[in-house]
Amino acid sequence: MSAPRCPSATEPAREALVAARLTPDEQASLTAGRDVWHLPAIDRLGIGALKMSDGPSGIRGERIGRRRSLAFACGTAAGATWDVDLLGRYGTALAAEARSKGVHLVLGPTVGIPRTPLGGRTFESFAEDPHLSARLAVAYIRGVQDQGVGCCVKHFACNDQEHERMTISAEVDARALREIHLVPFEAAVREAGTWAVMAAYNKLNGTHCSEHPELLDRILRDEWGFDGVVVSDWFGTHSTVAATTAGLDVEMPGPARYLGAELAAAAARGEIDPALVDTHARRILRLVDRCGLFDGPGTTEEEEDDDPGRRMVARELVVGSTVLLQNRGLLPLAPENLRQVAVIGPNARWIRTGGGGSSAVTPLAESSLLDELRGQLPGVDVVYEEGCRIDRGVPPLDPRLLSDGFELECFSGGGFDGEPVAIEHITTGEYLTIGDPMPGVDVRNFSVRARASFTPDIPGSWRIALANTGTARLLVDGALVVDNAEPSRGATFFGYGSAIEESEMVLDAGRAYDLIVEFRAGHTPVSGFQVRAARPVQADSLARAVEAARGADAVVLVVGSNGQWETEGTDRADLRLVGEQDELIRRVALANPQTVVVINAGAPLEMPWVDDVAAILMLWFPGEEGAAALARMLTGAAEPAGRLPITFP
């Protein structure tokens, strides 16, 4: 990427000079995405295409699932640090991650106030306290932008639930709006100088946030002096005239429906003042200049850069955010006092690194809590039992069971004829494209043949499933297992996908099976498929966990949720632990009161068993350094330093 350049206050702004050279069509083109993640380049002026990417807890890059990224702790975990200096270093690390992915603008941080902990994206926000949120947001944004990468703070404003999120109206009076919901955004603008703000999906007091003149014009620009760019949330633009006159600068993703060429046409018809189009273009050019793109396109090659310094920041965040809620003399675990430790729970072997939705990243390198704890407790027998499952239906295929992800042969058109137009690779069982999958290939008319080698780790009856847009079928060792040629409508792929169709297969552990997915796109702007697989369920799983607890000197019981339960697009129904987890805790604690419960979740939960266990740690969604940091905290090599940033019942 080119070195960043911010115009000084004393020289003429370069965006003004460049803006004067743009044609009206070029001005309008800047107001809409070229594709899912880029703004258009202006080749004749040597201006590169600005690239955005999902944050806020890791940089996903341009092609979701194609590259792994360092997974940092979730927003509530960052809030639990109450540590402004650490958040600044976190921002610096994120900027370096963005550069490794060729990204100019990070879509984060999320600073909305979680009005209700049931919100599906509660885990993305820092805190329920506006002052704490503001202090952390300023540190985060400064850390990123001091390195020449921009922040797009989100979601402006009052975006605190997923239920009917595109149409719901948050009814908020002026005092609550000013004293609670807008405080972090104001600090992000006035103190941190954020380069961009994302308009929320929802309505505020009856008007969509992306066309809300009170929010975008009078408060954001006139009152706070914001000189950056307002970007719509993806598919969150609803009009041409109302949105642009209210203050929306950029419609994402492309190709545009309301801005871009449609804005130019509206100006030509006299519905929009051409001077307003020029104003929007100048703001966008200012952002382009800040990102260094007046000096050429820079490199856009994405890398999987496992930097030790950034990984150390990720581990610091885990230790700094973990909250010791209770300790009745059990912690730290001392190896000289232990013969056997039982590690139990649905999240015990592999810590869930993050929640679901646009904040999720594919981790670079995870470690098992069992391995980490064995390393911290030499000579101690560490045994493991799952206890229960918390899958929401058939879970995503565990990528650790794939030899090397999926290889994709991509074809233009609905068949698999001739040579593929591209060969791609994904690291998980999910393929997703928002907009055209590649230049010259229509998102509504292409096909993919995907191959992988899958090795089960448990023998028995597996549930194998497939969900997709368009049509798809799944073959295992050449046998048709799931045929989704006539899919029923479901909630997958942002509502564009099918229901999850499943089948059962008896599989051998340790044997490699060939998986083939044959996928044909449908007439939707989002396309993809998900391969899912549920391990066999042990009928006596809970009893085995109780027996392991009874024979141990101490129990580490890891419970919580995952990206199926805490995710963009769906709110939680209540604050209870899902499945049989409460019963698991009750029975394990009865068998062995020397139990520490570790909560691996992103939002508050009920704890009816609080008086039955010796210790409780709130780990949050800690990112990929969670297992290593947790093992150190359990054994006293590190001290959990977090404090709750949100109310627990």
Side-chain angles (χ1 to χ4, degrees):
M1 291 174 63
S2 304
R5 181 187 186 280
C6 294
S8 74
T10 57
E11 65 175 316
R14 292 206 297 178
E15 71 267 12
L17 301 177
V18 175
R21 300 174 61 191
L22 295 179
T23 67
D25 284 346
E26 287 172 333
Q27 288 180 334
S29 73
L30 290 172
T31 67
R34 181 187 75 190
D35 52 32
V36 182
W37 303 115
H38 295 84
L39 294 185
I42 308 292
D43 293 332
R44 71 179 185 87
L45 297 179
I47 299 173
L50 185 144
K51 180 178 178 179
M52 309 178 195
S53 177
D54 279 323
S57 302
I59 309 301
R60 299 211 295 186
E62 177 179 351
R63 307 300 298 276
I64 299 170
R66 275 53 156 203
R67 291 284 188 272
R68 296 171 298 171
S69 305
L70 181 58
F72 292 89
C74 71
T76 44
T81 68
W82 293 65
D83 190 333
V84 170
D85 292 336
L86 178 55
L87 265 286
R89 285 184 281 119
Y90 177 24
T92 300
L94 279 173
E97 285 287 306
R99 289 191 170 279
S100 76
K101 296 292 191 287
V103 168
H104 308 104
L105 186 68
V106 174
L107 303 177
T110 302
V111 302
I113 302 298
R115 176 182 55 83
T116 165
L118 297 176
R121 299 178 82 172
T122 294
F123 68 91
E124 287 188 35
S125 295
F126 290 140
E128 69 184 9
D129 179 82
H131 179 73
L132 175 59
S133 296
R135 295 306 93 217
L136 298 179
V138 168
Y140 176 118
I141 293 167
R142 285 175 174 168
V144 173
Q145 294 189 169
D146 283 353
Q147 306 305 309
V149 177
C151 278
C152 183
V153 65
K154 60 184 188 181
H155 306 86
F156 192 59
C158 301
N159 184 194
D160 52 22
Q161 68 182 63
E162 295 302 286
H163 175 66
E164 298 181 356
R165 63 179 182 160
M166 297 293 236
T167 56
I168 200 77
S169 179
E171 302 299 310
V172 186
D173 66 31
R175 182 175 181 182
L177 186 66
R178 292 288 188 161
E179 295 185 3
I180 299 174
H181 295 282
L182 296 188
V183 171
F185 290 100
E186 183 174 6
V189 171
R190 286 184 156 172
E191 298 180 50
T194 187
W195 295 355
V197 171
M198 182 183 291
Y201 282 133
N202 56 282
K203 298 175 183 177
L204 175 62
N205 296 329
T207 302
H208 273 293
C209 291
S210 60
E211 50 190 43
H212 203 298
E214 177 70 20
L215 273 181
L216 305 185
D217 192 17
R218 289 189 281 277
I219 294 176
L220 187 60
R221 296 197 186 278
D222 292 348
E223 185 177 328
W224 296 348
F226 178 60
D227 69 349
V229 169
V230 177
V231 180
S232 78
D233 205 340
W234 268 230
F235 303 107
T237 305
H238 305 281
S239 63
T240 302
V241 175
T244 51
T245 55
L248 183 70
D249 296 302
V250 173
E251 175 190 359
M252 291 298 290
R257 295 180 298 169
Y258 297 103
L259 304 190
E262 183 57 36
L263 179 60
R269 293 191 298 266
E271 298 169 4
I272 293 283
D273 187 344
L276 182 59
V277 181
D278 177 70
T279 297
H280 288 297
R282 287 170 186 261
R283 291 172 184 159
I284 297 161
L285 288 171
R286 184 177 302 134
L287 174 62
V288 168
D289 189 16
R290 285 169 167 165
C291 294
L293 290 166
F294 279 3
D295 302 313
T299 178
T300 57
E301 188 65 29
E302 297 191 355
E303 300 175 352
E304 293 182 354
D305 185 10
D306 194 352
D307 178 79
R310 301 202 289 273
R311 186 168 286 279
M312 187 56 66
V313 173
R315 187 175 295 191
E316 272 191 85
L317 279 165
V318 185
V319 175
S321 64
T322 300
V323 185
L324 181 62
L325 295 174
Q326 178 171 288
N327 186 22
R328 295 172 179 160
L330 176 58
L331 298 178
L333 301 175
E336 61 271 17
N337 300 328
L338 301 170
R339 174 188 53 84
Q340 186 177 87
V341 171
V343 178
I344 295 171
N347 290 6
R349 185 175 183 182
W350 297 102
I351 301 295
R352 309 305 171 117
T353 59
S358 58
S359 68
V361 300
T362 303
L364 279 170
E366 296 177 82
S367 59
S368 162
L369 178 60
L370 302 182
D371 294 338
E372 296 289 351
L373 204 52
R374 285 165 182 153
Q376 292 292 322
L377 295 172
V380 177
D381 184 22
V382 177
V383 299
Y384 164 71
E385 290 292 342
E386 188 175 49
C388 68
R389 293 276 179 83
I390 59 170
D391 301 332
R392 192 171 193 173
V394 183
L397 174 64
D398 187 341
R400 289 176 286 261
L401 304 181
L402 299 175
S403 62
D404 187 30
F406 276 83
E407 183 179 84
L408 311 176
E409 294 177 313
C410 303
F411 300 85
S412 182
F416 304 99
D417 304 321
E419 292 296 314
V421 296
I423 303 292
E424 294 197 318
H425 181 267
I426 55 175
T427 57
T428 70
E430 179 175 17
Y431 172 77
L432 169 66
T433 181
I434 304 173
D436 293 345
M438 59 200 69
V441 177
D442 186 354
V443 68
R444 293 171 170 82
N445 188 26
F446 77 105
S447 53
V448 172
R449 182 185 289 117
R451 289 185 171 90
S453 178
F454 163 64
T455 304
D457 56 350
I458 299 175
S461 182
W462 284 67
R463 294 161 65 202
I464 308 295
L466 183 67
N468 51 271
T469 62
T471 64
R473 61 184 202 151
L474 172 64
L475 297 92
V476 179
D477 277 358
L480 181 61
V481 174
V482 181
D483 189 353
N484 221 358
E486 296 181 359
S488 56
R489 187 69 178 268
T492 59
F493 295 97
F494 309 103
Y496 291 107
S498 70
I500 299 168
E501 298 294 333
E502 65 177 271
S503 180
E504 287 199 15
M505 288 190 71
V506 176
L507 303 176
D508 298 324
R511 175 189 161 189
Y513 293 84
D514 293 324
L515 302 183
I516 295 179
V517 178
E518 294 178 344
F519 164 76
R520 291 176 172 86
H523 298 287
T524 59
V526 174
S527 281
F529 62 82
Q530 300 170 347
V531 180
R532 295 169 174 249
R535 293 175 170 88
V537 176
Q538 292 179 312
D540 59 348
S541 184
L542 201 154
R544 289 166 60 98
V546 171
E547 190 60 30
R550 185 174 289 114
D553 300 301
V555 177
V556 176
L557 181 50
V558 187
V559 298
S561 64
N562 57 34
Q564 294 177 282
W565 295 101
E566 292 185 66
T567 182
E568 180 177 357
T570 305
D571 292 322
R572 293 190 294 164
D574 51 52
L575 297 183
R576 290 192 293 270
L577 283 166
V578 297
E580 297 179 288
Q581 292 183 98
D582 282 330
E583 179 66 9
L584 174 66
I585 297 169
R586 188 188 67 80
R587 291 182 58 178
V588 165
L590 189 63
N592 190 338
Q594 293 297 93
T595 293
V596 52
V597 172
V598 179
I599 303 174
N600 175 204
L605 292 161
E606 293 179 6
M607 291 179 268
W609 32 261
V610 64
D611 295 325
D612 302 330
V613 299
I616 305 171
L617 281 171
M618 184 67 198
L619 183 67
W620 312 100
F621 289 135
E624 66 188 79
E625 281 295 304
L630 175 58
R632 290 174 56 81
M633 289 184 286
L634 288 170
T635 58
E639 182 178 354
R643 301 293 183 268
L644 293 180
I646 187 170
T647 300
F648 275 55

